[in-house]
Amino acid sequence: MTAAPHATPAPSEDAAAAISALRARPRRTVLAVPGSSTKMIDKARGLPVDEVFLDLEDAVAGPAKEDARQNVVAALNGGDFSAPTVVVRVNAWDTEYTVRDVTEVVGQAGARIDALLLPKARSAAEVVALDLVLTQVEKAAGLPVGHIGIEPQIEDALGLTNINQIATASPRVVTLVFGPADFMASIGMRTLTVGEQPEGYAPGDAYHHVLMAILVAARAHGLQAIDGPYLKVRDEEGFRRAAARTAALGFDGKWVLHPAQVDAGNEVFSPRQEEFDKAEAILAAYARSTSVEGGARGAVMFGDEMLDEASRKMALVVSARGRAAGMDISDQAGTETDSEGRRE
């Protein structure tokens, strides 16, 4: 008889609130920083990204893993980052490093960590295992239990196949992250350039199914969806093209590997001012239309568009992203319309 998979316990109210707040934070730009480079860590402190993660995995060679852990602990305890969200990428479960990454880094600097990024997540069991280790370390270190999130990274065909189970494996899960390089290798995609279309695949987008599967799973379970890196760090046009593709689908953000990608990433994953102004105006028009004073109507004309509840939901998405990015309605935009969509 097969044993039932171990389920993580329900979080406390405080832990649930902490994870909910983590899920709501903007992640337009997620900066990857090698844990083995104190120079890069110091430079990362002041960059205007939404999230920074200190990497103990692929960016660190095997012989440097132990020193990198201590670098990361010292960096976390040694000062603040401009990024509102600070994450550590531990090594995958198919290595000998994962448990020590968690026990040493979280044990010594857990109060400064918002989440752990779990690479090469292939099954729910791997997320559950990280949750269990995290819980023990939090208790041993006197940290609030359940407040550190988990960001599973989908990097191969098996992980994509199990994505819904991964997304729901722990109440700590806050995002689903696409790892394109390992994923491309796992399916045998014929290209050596991460983020670009493979030669011979045109027209179309070779990544569309993978990206949509990640996005749909994330949205189905109340999580954010984050795209992986574009490796040509000095090709801003190529980065913008790749970022615009996933932003158009609805992804919340993208990894950046170099300061040259930061401004472009923040711009691409923020609404344009005219989009934000229109969303706010739609919300105002619909609120007025559906109120008693406005006639309690379920639909309203806005210019030449007919608005209904679905329109309101679409506008809420744009509005929320704009406000998370610090946007305000421009001076040129009005926020009220009459029943025919005319500005007042």
Side-chain angles (χ1 to χ4, degrees):
M1 183 175 179
T2 303
H6 188 100
T8 56
S12 67
E13 289 186 9
D14 286 349
I19 295 301
S20 179
L22 271 179
R23 289 175 179 168
R25 291 185 186 179
R27 289 178 176 82
R28 298 167 300 170
T29 44
V30 177
L31 177 66
V33 185
S36 55
S37 174
T38 56
K39 179 180 178 181
M40 290 185 180
I41 291 172
D42 288 341
K43 188 169 186 177
R45 290 190 188 278
L47 292 177
V49 295
D50 289 334
E51 177 174 307
V52 59
F53 77 84
L54 306 180
D55 194 9
L56 295 174
E57 199 222 7
D58 282 354
V60 180
K65 298 283 189 186
E66 189 166 342
D67 287 344
R69 285 192 202 107
Q70 294 312 307
N71 286 345
V72 168
V73 169
L76 292 168
N77 291 327
D80 292 331
F81 289 82
S82 295
T85 303
V86 179
V87 174
V88 175
R89 179 161 76 160
V90 298
N91 285 275
W93 280 114
D94 60 358
T95 73
E96 66 270 35
Y97 307 113
T98 318
V99 171
R100 287 187 62 192
D101 288 344
V102 179
T103 56
E104 293 183 22
V105 176
V106 177
Q108 297 177 59
R112 314 281 292 188
I113 298 171
D114 293 302
L116 296 183
L117 177 59
L118 178 64
K120 300 176 180 62
R122 298 181 178 96
S123 69
E126 295 183 340
V127 178
V128 171
L130 182 58
D131 186 314
L132 294 172
V133 175
L134 254 177
T135 298
Q136 289 192 351
V137 175
E138 287 169 335
K139 289 179 178 178
L143 299 168
V145 173
H147 285 225
I148 295 175
I150 295 176
E151 300 189 357
Q153 190 173 10
I154 306 303
E155 300 193 72
D156 65 13
L158 183 58
L160 190 68
T161 300
N162 292 327
I163 192 166
N164 283 290
Q165 295 93 324
I166 289 169
T168 56
S170 165
R172 295 180 187 263
V173 176
V174 294
T175 69
L176 295 175
V177 182
F178 180 39
D182 279 285
F183 194 95
M184 291 156 62
S186 85
I187 63 172
M189 187 176 285
R190 296 177 61 182
T191 180
L192 295 173
T193 305
V194 176
E196 292 287 2
Q197 299 299 315
E199 185 178 353
Y201 195 96
D205 181 359
Y207 307 97
H208 184 76
H209 169 72
V210 182
L211 293 168
M212 283 302 296
I214 291 171
L215 179 62
V216 169
R219 293 296 183 259
H221 304 296
L223 310 175
Q224 290 196 20
I226 307 299
D227 191 17
Y230 184 82
L231 297 191
K232 292 183 177 179
V233 296
R234 290 184 171 81
D235 180 2
E236 183 178 333
E237 181 181 348
F239 174 83
R240 283 181 175 273
R241 182 172 61 249
R245 182 179 69 234
T246 48
L249 291 178
F251 271 64
D252 298 283
K254 183 174 180 63
W255 282 14
V256 293
L257 303 180
H258 190 275
Q261 297 178 331
V262 172
D263 288 345
N266 284 336
E267 178 186 331
V268 169
F269 285 95
S270 297
R272 297 190 303 273
Q273 186 64 53
E274 57 268 29
E275 290 177 312
F276 179 74
D277 289 344
K278 182 178 179 180
E280 291 292 316
I282 286 173
L283 292 173
Y286 190 71
R288 180 176 179 180
S289 170
T290 55
S291 69
V292 173
E293 295 81 1
R297 291 166 293 162
V300 60
M301 287 300 298
F302 182 86
D304 59 356
E305 298 179 58
M306 178 66 75
L307 305 183
D308 59 12
E309 175 63 15
S311 306
R312 184 189 72 86
K313 292 176 181 176
M314 292 166 64
L316 279 173
V317 171
V318 175
S319 174
R321 286 182 173 169
R323 293 193 178 279
M327 297 178 71
D328 290 312
I329 299 170
S330 65
D331 294 337
Q332 292 75 27
T335 60
E336 295 292 331
T337 62
D338 64 17
S339 62
E340 299 302 320
R342 294 186 294 264
R343 301 283 186 183
E344 295 185 339

